[in-house]
Amino acid sequence: MEIKQNILDSVNEWLTPTFDKATQEAVIEMMTSSPKDLEESFYKNLEFGTGGMRGVMGVGNNRINKYTLGKSTQGLSNYLKIAFPNQPLKAVIAFDCRHNSKTLAKTVADVFSANGIQVYLFSDLRPTPELSFALKYLGCQCGIVLTASHNPPEYNGYKVYWEDGGQIVPPQDGAIIDTIEKLDYSQIKFDANEDLIHYIDAEIDQAFIKSTIENASFGTSQEAKDNLNIVFTSLHGTSITAIPDTFAQAGYKNVNIVEEQRVPNGDFPTVKSPNPEEPEALTLALALADKTNADIVIGTDPDCDRLGVAVRNNEGQMILLNGNQTMILMTAFLLKEWKKAGKINGKQFVGSTIVSTPMIMELATAYGVECKIGLTGFKWIAKMIKDFPELEFIGGGEESFGFMVGDAVRDKDAVAATLLICELAAQMKANGSSVYKELQQLYVDHGFYKEHLISLTKKGMDGLAEINQMMVDMRNNPVKEINGQRVVMLEDYKSSIAKNLLTGEEETMYIPKSDVLIYYTEDGSKICARPSGTEPKIKFYMSVNTQLDSVENFTKVEAVLNDKIKNIITAMQLN
């Protein structure tokens, strides 16, 4: 196959003495045996998406390796000196269970230290939310976590956090990327100053767990805690270092851990995907729940920022909740507890994202707090805390199984969320109710919202082009009708224009630009199309709703909403 000139230029650069012999040999081998892999590895630079930089490990500028991470860290070091002039600079680094994470974390530490920056490096794998906590606890200007979340085993990644404990957002992200792109690989300083690298572990762990218990505990009696039967799985990830200790210190003793998934392992041998959004990932946990008659099942992804939850329905069967449902349950619980404590006075807010359930706004209105809605990705929820210092942040969530309790951690946090959902479950059981019954009652009180997600995977260079074309087509030729319902509004977050398709009126949306389209139909349905920022996917988010007059009619009304979703999928040719 013919290789494009820009790819050849990149390949030739990687064959210079700037790169070690093993790297050069790997490039040469790829040139002779895998030209398609060569093209995929070099056709572009890895980009920062909603979750930082994430990609397949290997050689090349479109792969995760010591040079791409070294270049990013060198650029970040240069930018830190500009952003914080004449200040002693400090950075903290964490890493997950993935292959090469520990080695790559040390490479990042080496580059920081070679640039005169004090480094705090976790001695072993830790949850991503602990990195966010440690950043503020240690007074660092930035933090890095080496993780690819729930991506397949061949992936790794690099997430950058700023001094507030949240991921980088504008204008820092653009300025950092500009600084990185101006660098040559030959400018990376790899020679570590070991005197500047400090290893951290137990002190931070205990402070993190103490903070978690303070933020996510709400007066649950010890009897109620003892009566809650929990099954927990870490899915071979980092949460095993924090959640069992958090349970123990918070007083939850009745915890059954899925032993087959306890040991961290970057191959994730017992699951197709270590993603608690996918039902298959919790198969072993659900089996253990039936064996132990558990009330609740909780599974966390490899870096412990997302959680999947299963609870018993009214017939006693275990069912998986989706991310919108867990978000609604936890938000409603927080609002109820804050109100009970007399802490709501109109100066509080909750946060969510444009692709999550609109039901969050109904909850906020009912409790007299503001609801801030941002782009997809928890960095935007963390940014809200910084942007509205006059308001107290209660909590926030997104449909993709992430939740944040308070502002001690400025990212989605499965440690605190796990404790919070258990507080809810324990109190419901003690009151003769259940998590499932509580969810049904919320639907009666605030409207029955039902969501569904379809992800279409399009891998590689050709897949990216296909995804881009799909967005162009939907943008230039917007759908006028979906499932017999007229589309009344189209929000285009790339142009920042919301257009009423019935009147032609346009409004400017004051939210950062993003390649997202949202259709609203006249019956209140919402359909969002968005390319993933971290995976080779295009995602379609659907939300439908109606009133539920009583819990007794739940099954009948849910069937109506399910049919509506199926009809939308058919109408948009997504099946």
Side-chain angles (χ1 to χ4, degrees):
M1 62 181 284
E2 184 179 347
I3 299 175
K4 294 177 182 176
Q5 188 59 46
N6 68 307
I7 295 173
L8 283 174
D9 291 342
S10 294
V11 168
N12 287 329
E13 182 184 8
W14 282 63
L15 294 175
T16 64
T18 294
F19 300 86
D20 61 43
K21 190 175 180 182
T23 297
Q24 294 180 53
E25 288 174 351
V27 174
I28 292 168
E29 168 65 22
M30 206 185 297
M31 290 174 73
T32 56
S33 63
S34 307
K36 182 63 178 174
D37 287 345
L38 186 81
E39 186 177 54
E40 295 286 352
S41 299
F42 286 95
Y43 82 94
K44 65 170 185 173
N45 292 328
L46 271 181
E47 299 167 355
F48 278 83
T50 53
M53 187 167 65
R54 198 182 297 183
V56 174
M57 289 176 279
V59 298
N61 45 284
N62 189 34
R63 294 289 184 256
I64 293 287
N65 52 65
K66 66 177 284 189
Y67 295 102
T68 52
L69 296 194
K71 186 177 177 182
S72 292
T73 308
Q74 183 62 54
L76 184 55
S77 300
N78 294 351
Y79 182 78
L80 284 167
K81 292 175 181 179
I82 297 167
F84 303 99
N86 305 314
Q87 290 188 40
L89 297 174
K90 297 191 289 184
V92 58
I93 303 168
F95 57 92
D96 71 2
C97 59
R98 288 182 174 270
H99 299 305
N100 303 315
S101 279
K102 190 167 190 172
T103 303
L104 290 169
K106 181 57 166 66
T107 298
V108 172
D110 290 348
V111 175
F112 273 137
S113 69
N115 283 277
I117 296 170
Q118 294 272 352
V119 179
Y120 296 93
L121 174 62
F122 277 98
S123 59
D124 208 342
L125 74 172
R126 289 296 188 279
T128 288
E130 188 170 349
L131 180 279
S132 174
F133 174 84
L135 200 161
K136 291 200 292 179
Y137 182 85
L138 295 166
C140 298
Q141 287 90 356
C142 84
I144 305 290
V145 61
L146 278 296
T147 178
S149 188
H150 54 268
N151 279 54
E154 64 269 22
Y155 280 76
N156 214 319
Y158 178 94
K159 291 170 73 172
V160 183
Y161 292 75
W162 212 235
E163 61 178 340
D164 67 326
Q167 293 179 53
I168 55 168
V169 292
Q172 280 84 17
D173 56 357
I176 290 167
I177 292 165
D178 287 345
T179 306
I180 292 167
E181 288 179 349
K182 289 174 184 173
L183 286 173
D184 293 324
Y185 287 104
S186 60
Q187 295 173 281
I188 305 169
K189 298 176 183 176
F190 281 117
D191 295 328
N193 180 346
E194 297 290 349
D195 292 339
L196 295 181
I197 300 176
H198 314 285
Y199 289 90
I200 54 174
D201 38 49
E203 179 193 340
I204 307 297
D205 294 342
Q206 288 309 308
F208 173 59
I209 291 171
K210 181 173 181 285
S211 171
T212 299
I213 294 171
E214 288 172 355
N215 278 293
S217 295
F218 290 92
T220 306
S221 71
Q222 189 57 54
E223 183 182 5
K225 292 177 183 180
D226 290 345
N227 285 337
L228 186 68
N229 190 352
I230 303 165
V231 163
F232 168 70
T233 176
S234 57
L235 294 178
H236 304 290
T238 61
S239 64
I240 201 68
T241 67
I243 287 181
D245 286 346
T246 302
F247 273 140
Q249 292 183 39
Y252 286 90
K253 303 165 190 171
N254 199 358
V255 180
N256 299 283
I257 295 176
V258 178
E259 292 298 331
E260 300 96 319
Q261 297 172 333
R262 178 193 281 267
V263 177
N265 187 332
D267 287 323
F268 313 112
T270 63
V271 292
K272 290 178 184 174
S273 170
N275 184 356
E277 293 179 70
E278 297 176 13
E280 182 273 337
L282 296 181
T283 299
L284 290 177
L286 291 169
L288 183 58
D290 285 339
K291 186 177 177 182
T292 60
N293 195 30
D295 301 299
I296 189 168
V297 166
I298 299 167
T300 55
D301 67 346
D303 66 330
C304 189
D305 58 1
R306 302 169 195 253
L307 78 164
V309 177
V311 295
R312 295 206 180 273
N313 64 14
N314 296 341
E315 288 71 49
Q317 300 163 322
M318 270 288 169
I319 62 154
L320 295 165
L321 302 177
N322 63 42
N324 285 301
Q325 291 171 323
T326 54
M327 173 180 72
I328 289 300
L329 282 160
M330 289 190 280
T331 302
F333 182 69
L334 284 174
L335 288 168
K336 188 159 53 174
E337 290 295 328
W338 275 60
K339 184 177 181 180
K340 193 194 305 181
K343 291 165 62 179
I344 292 180
N345 60 8
K347 295 182 179 179
Q348 290 76 34
F349 80 99
V350 294
S352 191
T353 70
I354 57 175
V355 300
S356 300
T357 179
M359 188 175 171
I360 190 80
M361 291 180 274
E362 301 294 334
L363 273 178
T365 300
Y367 280 89
V369 304
E370 290 191 41
C371 182
K372 305 287 185 187
I373 303 294
L375 294 176
T376 309
F378 246 81
K379 64 182 181 181
W380 301 109
I381 297 178
K383 186 175 184 292
M384 294 169 189
I385 300 171
K386 190 164 58 173
D387 289 347
F388 301 97
E390 73 280 9
L391 298 177
E392 281 184 284
F393 177 71
I394 295 174
E398 62 180 1
E399 58 76 37
S400 58
F401 290 61
F403 199 81
M404 181 163 67
V405 185
D407 69 350
V409 168
R410 298 281 178 97
D411 200 1
K412 51 186 177 284
D413 177 2
V415 183
T418 292
L419 181 56
L420 182 68
I421 197 70
C422 287
E423 289 280 287
L424 165 62
Q427 291 189 23
M428 291 303 105
K429 187 177 182 182
N431 293 334
S433 183
S434 69
V435 174
Y436 192 74
K437 287 177 181 175
E438 176 71 5
L439 180 63
Q440 290 180 314
Q441 190 58 49
L442 287 171
Y443 288 147
V444 172
D445 295 341
H446 305 286
F448 193 171
Y449 286 77
K450 182 92 177 179
E451 281 76 32
H452 186 72
L453 169 66
I454 288 183
S455 292
L456 304 179
T457 300
K458 310 283 183 181
K459 291 186 177 181
M461 191 164 55
D462 294 340
L464 179 63
E466 189 177 349
I467 288 171
N468 290 339
Q469 189 59 49
M470 289 174 75
M471 292 300 294
V472 168
D473 292 344
M474 285 186 288
R475 185 169 276 116
N476 293 344
N477 302 293
V479 178
K480 300 291 195 302
E481 185 178 289
I482 301 173
N483 188 30
Q485 296 288 324
R486 290 183 299 174
V487 176
V488 295
M489 181 72 70
L490 172 62
E491 292 178 346
D492 185 345
Y493 287 82
K494 196 169 187 177
S495 66
S496 299
I497 297 294
K499 183 175 182 178
N500 186 314
L501 298 186
L502 302 184
T503 66
E505 293 178 42
E506 294 185 350
E507 288 183 20
T508 301
M509 297 186 295
Y510 296 98
I511 193 167
K513 292 183 184 297
S514 184
D515 191 10
V516 180
L517 290 169
I518 301 182
Y519 293 97
Y520 295 90
T521 65
E522 55 192 339
D523 68 345
S525 298
K526 172 184 170 186
I527 301 98
C528 170
R530 167 188 165 265
S532 171
T534 55
E535 299 172 277
K537 294 179 178 180
I538 181 167
K539 297 185 175 185
F540 293 87
Y541 307 79
M542 296 154 217
S543 178
V544 296
N545 68 87
T546 191
Q547 293 303 304
L548 178 62
D549 59 356
S550 69
V551 168
E552 288 72 28
N553 288 327
F554 174 83
T555 302
K556 183 172 68 176
V557 175
E558 184 179 39
V560 172
L561 293 179
N562 285 338
D563 285 342
K564 189 177 282 193
I565 288 170
K566 286 177 188 173
N567 292 338
I568 290 172
I569 292 169
T570 301
M572 296 191 69
Q573 299 180 332
L574 297 175
N575 47 2

